[in-house]
């Protein structure tokens, strides 16, 4: 028994040392239709509170639950994300799902990223409302072994989960992409709701007008 215990301790120490050497990378996926200040606040707060080296914004190629009339091309969403994050050196763009095309499972995406970048330890950031749906995610029992889920606390949602979730308190900005699209369709200003360069891009390309 002692020998087994010593071996286990050594293995644990080795695993911890390997993890400590890895770069701590956050993944913030979404449709970003359009990206707004709420996305940036979440990424910044999680990065700061967890001491992450980077947060990668990962647009999906094909929005899973969006009205097709409102699902603008991925190229436009990528351009807006790039404009939104360019002034923060801690933020970057991850195009794995866009380049793959179609609808993507998080398991497949993270498996690919881990294989390409074994030097990274990934922190998968999701809203508190999404934590309750984790049991329905594709291959969730395998996915939780690959990444550390980070739950962004939101009012009205419990912190309970059958899975290991790191919780981060983030100021409630109360902005959504749906609200911004509605504002634009009604001819209302979205200044201070989205970064200035995103606002300019939307106006220049006449997005969400109809």
């Amino acid at each position: 028994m002692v020998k087994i215990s010593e071996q286990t301790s050594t293995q644990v120490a080795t695993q911890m040392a390997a993890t400590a050497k890895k770069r701590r990378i956050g993944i913030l996926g979404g449709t970003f239709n359009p990206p707004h200040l709420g996305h940036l606040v979440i990424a910044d707060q999680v990065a700061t509170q967890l001491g992450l080296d980077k947060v990668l914004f990962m647009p999906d190629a094909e929005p899973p639950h969006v009205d097709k009339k409102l699902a603008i091309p991925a190229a436009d969403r990528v351009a807006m994300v790039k404009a939104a994050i360019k002034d923060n050196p801690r933020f970057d763009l991850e195009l794995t799902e866009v380049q793959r095309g179609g609808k993507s499972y998080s398991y497949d995406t993270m498996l690919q990223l881990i294989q390409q970048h074994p030097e990274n330890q990934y922190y998968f950031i999701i809203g508190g409302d999404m934590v309750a749906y984790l049991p329905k995610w594709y291959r969730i029992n395998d996915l939780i072994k690959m990444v550390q889920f980070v739950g962004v606390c939101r009012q009205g949602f419990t912190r309970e989960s059958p899975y290991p979730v790191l919780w981060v308190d983030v100021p409630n900005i109360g902005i959504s992409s749906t609200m911004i699209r509605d504002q634009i369709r009604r001819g209302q200003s979205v200044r201070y709701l989205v970064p200035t360069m995103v606002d300019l891009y939307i106006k220049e390309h006449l997005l969400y007008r109809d």
Side-chain angles (χ1 to χ4, degrees), residues 4 18 20 37 40-41 66 68 72 76 78-79 82 88-89 93 97 104 128 139 148-149 154 162 177 182 191:
I4 293 176
L37 294 185
L40 302 182
V41 168
V66 178
K68 294 298 182 183
I72 65 172
D76 284 318
V78 167
K82 190 177 298 185
N88 191 326
L93 193 60
E97 294 194 345
S104 297
R139 297 191 67 168
Q148 171 63 65
F149 276 101
R154 290 182 178 174
S177 296
D182 289 342
R191 189 178 184 184

Side-chain angles (χ1 to χ4, degrees), residues 134-165:
L134 285 179
K136 299 181 181 180
W137 283 35
Y138 175 69
R139 297 191 67 168
I140 182 61
N141 290 327
D142 293 316
L143 183 57
I144 60 173
K145 299 174 185 176
M146 298 160 56
V147 303
Q148 171 63 65
F149 276 101
V150 178
V152 176
C153 295
R154 290 182 178 174
Q155 189 174 7
F157 293 97
T158 178
R159 295 190 181 210
E160 295 179 1
S161 173
Y163 303 106
V165 175

Side-chain angles (χ1 to χ4, degrees), residues 61-156:
E62 184 179 331
H65 303 296
V66 178
D67 188 326
K68 294 298 182 183
K69 292 179 291 185
L70 302 179
I72 65 172
D76 284 318
R77 294 184 286 110
V78 167
M80 286 190 288
V81 170
K82 190 177 298 185
I85 67 176
K86 72 174 187 175
D87 64 345
N88 191 326
R90 216 173 192 177
F91 295 166
D92 214 335
L93 193 60
E94 175 52 62
L95 296 177
T96 295
E97 294 194 345
V98 169
Q99 292 170 348
R100 181 192 297 136
K103 295 181 181 179
S104 297
Y105 289 112
S106 296
Y107 169 82
D108 294 329
T109 299
M110 296 314 303
L111 180 62
Q112 180 178 340
L113 287 177
I114 290 170
Q115 290 173 341
Q116 292 175 344
H117 302 284
E119 74 278 9
N120 293 342
Q121 171 68 36
Y122 288 102
Y123 293 76
F124 201 99
I125 306 165
I126 60 175
D129 53 333
M130 290 300 298
V131 172
Y133 292 95
L134 285 179
K136 299 181 181 180
W137 283 35
Y138 175 69
R139 297 191 67 168
I140 182 61
N141 290 327
D142 293 316
L143 183 57
I144 60 173
K145 299 174 185 176
M146 298 160 56
V147 303
Q148 171 63 65
F149 276 101
V150 178
V152 176
C153 295
R154 290 182 178 174
Q155 189 174 7

